[in-house]
Amino acid sequence: TLAHADCAVTRDHCLASNGGLFFGDFYEFAEALDLLLDDAGLRRRLGAAGRAYVFERFSWERVTGNYLDVLARLGARLR
């Protein structure tokens, strides 16, 4: 992933996952893109880390489990 540094959400996902790079301006974007184009190993490592992060945190079971936990804490009756 290449994400803009001014977007806190995508920047934080890049940091938490070790699965992406972020940039602040066109020149940083160009440098990051060149880095990714020139380094297949880096692309593989970032891709694997990002994939693991998504599967760990955003699987269907995990997301629905989080919603059920919130509803239970709010006192909702669950079947």
Side-chain angles (χ1 to χ4, degrees):
T1 298
L2 281 177
H4 198 281
D6 287 345
C7 178
V9 172
T10 54
R11 183 189 65 236
D12 289 349
H13 281 300
C14 286
L15 291 169
S17 69
N18 289 318
L21 305 174
F22 51 90
F23 59 91
D25 59 28
F26 170 78
Y27 300 103
E28 289 179 1
F29 171 79
E31 288 292 323
L33 186 58
D34 286 343
L35 179 65
L36 290 174
L37 290 172
D38 291 341
D39 192 337
L42 177 61
R43 291 193 308 269
R44 279 191 297 275
R45 289 189 303 277
L46 291 173
R51 180 179 173 86
Y53 175 79
V54 167
F55 281 127
E56 178 184 324
R57 287 169 177 79
F58 302 106
S59 69
W60 184 250
E61 294 79 19
R62 181 77 182 257
V63 170
T64 55
N66 289 341
Y67 277 114
L68 292 173
D69 290 344
V70 167
L71 292 172
R73 280 182 281 173
L74 293 173
R77 292 185 190 175
L78 305 174
R79 297 182 206 202

